[in-house]
């Protein structure tokens, strides 16, 4: 515009008006053409790939398609239990395509749309996962002891059927044994053998003597039980006890207690570790600081030796004799859930009136 | 002074190894450390916090960071990850009940960026206890096959009898050494 006005002003002296106007018109036309071209160019570059609306529309259509496919798979699952692995695979492949499209478009999409789309994808993913897990449930981990025994049995029975192939089959079963996985329904069954522990008892008096003990021992899921372990152990694990009374001979390693309520534990052990235990009395002889974690209302008192033949010798030979008792570590409890300098409110020393004397249940059953 | 002391310092550092002992509580971490160091193992208390042991192993100085494994302490593990050359994960092989816990904690640890380059030794401890799982079984339970490029090994051992301990440490030191040699 400045050129036009100055040109207009200068026109009478240098050029006639017409040439100036012509020149201006030509320049204007060139400018317009240039602008058109640029707009066109921009549209060419942008429209198909970067128009948010266009993308969202096509993406939504695709999304609906995949959602329908997933839905179809889920419903088919419900009606007939046929495996629909292929259709599931297709659906998940399409789903991945959708995800990729969205990812590549994310840099030009408005944030609101992007959020909406990701949310839609998430719900779809959930449905897909569900359908997948229904079609082929993941095998839960479980230890193979039972299954291994079973597979060997089946192999044995096969061996009797086909006598000449027997040895080979047996060998195969044995080699497959470590890989054998338990079925989910078998996972709930106890994985302890008799001499390794006591599990699931209710309101019983259970006594184990030295020849039934040794090594690792587990007490699990007991209610209202009295348990006497009359012998030496290398490790003791206690969990899920309610209203129980446990007394045991010397443990050469650690005693690990978890999830116990309203019980009494009489332990002689190199280490005592107590977790998630409430309203429980501990009578201890230890060679290290007993520890508690996430516990409350714990009372501690010195150990009461069990009365059985060789009890004193067992204690001495496990380094848990009178020397250890003299260390007095039973009262040096450390509370790992109370890392302050003030004393922990979760445990206390048992008053003398209660800790004196022996307990009847320890004698009554040992005879 | 100057250059010579710097060179000396670097040389000395090359011979130092930072080892982090981790694992669930009651796995036997402290017992292993004390056993390797030749100390009394009959009066070990559960570790409250951590302890550092420095020992000479062949031509190397091992700085062993023994960190408590109680649930309430596990969130502090990350404070010890910095500049760790080797990580020793200790397992109570007889504690079948918490094996899945153990797997989850280990896999959480392996995701840590600061430990990405560290050599991993897994001690399947307490093999002397009846009912302990073998190293092969533990390898399966812990899903160790999906480890990727990390240098790792599982070693069956018993801190009480001392079986398998030195072999494990031997491998760890050799592995860190070879890695350093490559980089230096």
């Amino acid at each position: 515009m400045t050129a036009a006005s100055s040109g207009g002003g200068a026109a009478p002296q240098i050029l006639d008006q017409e040439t100036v106007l012509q020149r201006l018109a030509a320049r204007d036309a060139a400018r317009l053409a240039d602008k058109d071209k640029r707009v066109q160019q921009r549209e060419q570059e942008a429209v198909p790939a970067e128009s948010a609306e266009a993308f969202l529309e096509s993406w939504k259509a695709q999304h609906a398609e995949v959602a329908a496919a997933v839905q179809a798979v889920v419903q088919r699952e419900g009606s007939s239990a046929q495996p629909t692995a292929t259709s599931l695979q297709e659906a998940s492949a399409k789903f991945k395509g959708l995800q990729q499209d969205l990812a590549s478009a994310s840099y030009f999409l408005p944030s609101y749309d992007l959020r909406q789309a990701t949310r839609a994808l998430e719900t779809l993913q959930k449905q897909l996962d569900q359908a997948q897990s229904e079609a082929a449930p993941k095998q839960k981990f479980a230890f193979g002891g039972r299954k291994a025994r079973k597979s060997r049995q089946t192999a044995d029975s096969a061996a009797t059927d086909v006598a000449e192939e027997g040895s080979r089959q047996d060998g195969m079963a044995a080699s497959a044994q470590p890989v054998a996985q338990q079925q989910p329904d078998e996972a709930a069954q106890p994985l302890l053998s008799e001499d390794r522990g006591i599990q699931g008892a209710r309101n019983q008096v259970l006594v184990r003597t030295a020849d039934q003990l040794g090594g690792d021992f587990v007490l699990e899921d007991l209610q209202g039980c009295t348990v006497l372990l009359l012998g030496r152990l290398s490790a003791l694990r206690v969990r899920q006890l309610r209203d129980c009374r446990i007394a045991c001979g010397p443990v050469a390693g650690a005693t690990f207690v978890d999830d116990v309520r309203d019980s009494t534990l009489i332990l002689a052990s190199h280490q005592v570790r107590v977790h998630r235990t409430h309203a429980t009395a501990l009578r201890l002889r230890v060679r290290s600081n007993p520890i508690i974690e996430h516990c409350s209302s714990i009372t501690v008192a010195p150990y009461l030796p069990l009365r059985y033949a060789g009890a004193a010798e067992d204690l001495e030979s496990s380094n848990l004799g009178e020397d250890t008792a003299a260390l007095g570590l039973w009262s040096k409890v450390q509370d790992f859930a109370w890392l302050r300098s003030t004393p922990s409110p979760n445990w206390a020393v048992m008053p003398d009136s209660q800790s004196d004397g022996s307990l009847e249940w320890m004698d009554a059953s040992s005879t | 002074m100057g250059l010579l002391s710097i060179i000396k310092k670097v040389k000395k550092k090359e011979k130092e190894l930072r080892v982090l002992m981790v694992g669930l509580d009651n796995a036997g971490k402290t017992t292993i450390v004390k056993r390797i160091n030749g100390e009394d193992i009959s009066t070990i208390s559960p570790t409250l916090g951590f302890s550092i042991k420095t020992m000479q192993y062949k031509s190397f100085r091992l700085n062993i960071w023994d960190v408590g494994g109680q649930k309430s302490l596990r969130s502090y593990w990350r404070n010890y990850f910095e500049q760790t050359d080797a990580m020793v994960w200790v397992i109570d092989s007889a504690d079948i009940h918490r094996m899945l816990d153990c797997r989850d904690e280990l896999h959480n640890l392996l995701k840590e960026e600061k430990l990405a380059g560290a050599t991993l030794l897994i001690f399947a401890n307490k093999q002397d206890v009846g009912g302990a799982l073998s190293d092969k079984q533990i390898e399966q339970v812990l899903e160790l096959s999906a480890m990727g490029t990390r240098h790792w090994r599982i070693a069956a051992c018993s801190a009480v009898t001392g079986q398998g301990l030195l072999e494990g440490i031997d491998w760890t030191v050799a592995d860190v050494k070879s890695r350093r040699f490559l980089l230096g």
Side-chain angles (χ1 to χ4, degrees):
Chain A
M1 286 303 117
T2 50
S5 60
S6 68
Q13 290 152 4
I14 308 161
L15 300 162
D16 56 296
Q17 204 173 359
E18 209 161 319
T19 39
V20 172
L21 278 178
Q22 267 176 3
R23 217 179 275 174
L24 275 177
R27 206 190 277 178
D28 197 36
R31 187 178 59 84
L32 279 175
D34 197 35
K35 189 178 153 200
D36 273 355
K37 211 161 102 188
R38 256 183 299 164
V39 168
Q40 258 179 4
Q41 204 176 2
R42 201 182 306 150
E43 275 175 357
Q44 264 176 1
E45 278 172 2
V47 164
E50 295 196 4
S51 153
E53 277 170 40
F55 170 80
L56 274 178
E57 232 162 75
S58 73
W59 190 83
K60 267 181 194 151
Q62 278 177 28
H63 176 265
E65 203 176 296
V66 177
V70 171
Q71 211 64 42
V73 170
V74 172
Q75 273 160 12
R76 224 177 308 158
E77 292 288 316
S79 57
S80 72
Q82 268 196 345
T84 48
T86 49
S87 52
L88 255 180
Q89 259 172 7
E90 273 170 34
S92 67
K94 273 185 199 164
F95 175 78
K96 266 186 201 134
L98 267 185
Q99 246 177 345
Q100 248 158 20
D101 286 350
L102 186 65
S104 59
S106 62
Y107 74 97
F108 66 82
L109 280 182
S111 63
Y112 172 78
D113 290 326
L114 190 61
R115 217 163 41 227
Q116 290 293 323
T118 18
R119 208 168 287 162
L121 270 187
E122 267 167 25
T123 52
L124 198 55
Q125 168 101 62
K126 258 182 216 153
Q127 286 173 346
L128 201 60
D129 283 349
Q130 204 183 347
Q132 236 147 15
S133 64
E134 273 167 21
K138 259 190 202 159
Q139 279 210 327
K140 275 189 193 150
F141 167 77
F143 290 98
R146 295 235 141 208
K147 181 65 183 288
R149 219 176 297 153
K150 209 175 247 178
S151 72
R152 197 182 287 165
Q153 271 169 12
T154 55
D156 283 345
S157 64
T160 52
D161 289 341
V162 194
E164 60 271 25
E165 278 185 11
S167 61
R168 189 150 43 103
Q169 289 216 2
D170 222 340
M172 271 162 61
S175 68
Q177 188 178 324
V179 208
Q181 290 246 328
Q182 250 177 355
Q183 298 299 316
D185 59 314
E186 274 181 304
Q189 289 179 2
L191 34 87
L192 294 171
S193 58
E194 270 296 296
D195 56 341
R196 290 254 159 274
I198 301 170
Q199 203 175 28
R202 299 284 180 272
N203 306 313
Q204 290 177 33
V205 176
L206 299 150
V207 182
R208 293 284 184 277
T209 49
D211 50 318
Q212 294 168 297
L213 297 171
D216 201 29
F217 204 80
V218 181
L219 299 174
E220 190 179 353
D221 187 21
L222 305 179
Q223 285 181 19
C225 290
T226 299
V227 181
L228 299 174
L229 305 176
L230 311 175
R232 297 170 55 184
L233 300 169
S234 63
L236 176 65
R237 284 167 229 282
V238 179
R239 70 180 73 233
Q240 276 183 287
L241 300 194
R242 298 288 178 273
D243 191 23
C244 286
R245 289 153 303 281
I246 313 292
C248 81
V251 180
T255 300
F256 188 90
V257 179
D258 190 15
D259 190 15
V260 172
R261 272 174 192 280
D262 311 311
S263 299
T264 301
L265 306 178
I266 301 183
L267 307 166
S269 179
H270 275 217
Q271 284 189 349
V272 173
R273 299 158 178 266
V274 182
H275 304 261
R276 297 188 298 170
T277 293
H278 307 279
T280 291
L282 303 173
R283 290 170 161 261
L284 305 172
R285 179 178 294 179
V286 278
R287 286 188 67 78
S288 61
N289 297 83
I291 69 136
I292 60 175
E293 187 186 42
H294 308 138
C295 294
S296 66
S297 310
I298 303 288
T299 53
V300 292
Y303 180 68
L304 295 172
L306 278 162
R307 290 185 203 140
Y308 65 94
E313 289 81 7
D314 275 357
L315 283 170
E316 277 308 327
S317 63
S318 305
N319 242 338
L320 286 163
E322 294 304 320
D323 304 352
T324 304
L327 292 176
L329 281 166
W330 60 271
S331 64
K332 307 263 184 346
V333 178
Q334 287 183 331
D335 186 350
F336 275 51
W338 189 263
L339 304 175
R340 302 184 205 175
S341 53
T342 54
S344 161
N346 300 324
W347 68 277
V349 173
M350 199 182 283
D352 284 346
S353 55
Q354 286 174 38
S355 64
D356 283 346
S358 69
L359 300 170
E360 292 135 38
W361 56 266
M362 287 176 68
D363 281 338
S365 351
S366 66
T367 48
Chain B
M1 250 293 278
L3 186 60
L4 183 64
S5 65
I6 290 172
I7 291 174
K8 269 186 180 163
K9 218 173 178 178
V10 168
K11 278 280 170 207
K12 206 171 151 199
K13 266 209 171 144
E14 271 177 11
K15 288 285 180 192
E16 263 187 26
L17 225 100
R18 182 168 154 147
V19 181
L20 180 65
M21 302 279 292
V22 271
L24 300 192
D25 46 325
N26 197 24
K29 298 176 287 295
T30 309
T31 311
I32 287 179
V33 173
K34 294 215 170 183
R35 182 83 206 190
I36 295 173
N37 210 19
E39 292 174 49
D40 176 28
I41 59 165
S42 74
T43 55
I44 296 172
S45 289
T47 311
L48 181 54
F50 69 96
S51 70
I52 310 168
K53 272 265 146 54
T54 303
M55 56 182 89
Q56 198 69 29
Y57 185 81
K58 296 190 176 160
S59 62
F60 282 89
R61 249 168 92 86
L62 301 186
N63 291 322
I64 300 187
W65 292 64
D66 174 20
V67 189
Q70 314 292 332
K71 217 174 213 158
S72 43
L73 301 179
R74 286 179 207 161
S75 50
Y76 299 107
W77 283 355
R78 59 175 64 253
N79 300 343
Y80 305 95
F81 291 166
E82 211 81 55
Q83 292 190 314
T84 294
D85 296 301
M87 178 166 68
V88 180
W89 180 263
V90 185
I91 300 168
D92 176 354
S93 309
D95 192 354
I96 293 168
H97 233 280
R98 292 198 299 160
M99 213 44 101
L100 295 189
D101 256 8
C102 177
R103 179 195 68 187
D104 295 344
E105 292 286 354
L106 175 61
H107 282 266
N108 272 342
L109 217 60
L110 295 178
K111 279 186 217 139
E112 289 290 340
E113 226 169 279
K114 285 177 186 162
L115 292 173
T119 299
L120 172 64
L121 174 68
I122 297 169
F123 266 141
N125 192 20
K126 304 203 188 179
Q127 291 292 328
D128 57 306
V129 174
L133 295 184
S134 73
D135 49 345
K136 287 275 172 297
Q137 282 168 313
I138 287 175
E139 197 175 324
Q140 275 187 359
V141 178
L142 297 191
E143 295 167 16
L144 296 177
S145 46
M147 196 76 81
T149 58
R150 185 186 294 274
H151 294 204
W152 69 278
R153 168 171 290 195
I154 184 163
C157 76
S158 161
V160 175
T161 64
Q163 162 229 338
L165 289 181
L166 287 185
E167 288 91 326
I169 296 293
D170 242 357
W171 173 81
T172 311
V173 172
D175 188 75
V176 174
K177 195 170 137 192
S178 70
R179 188 149 41 86
R180 283 214 179 142
F181 196 68
L182 272 180
L183 290 178

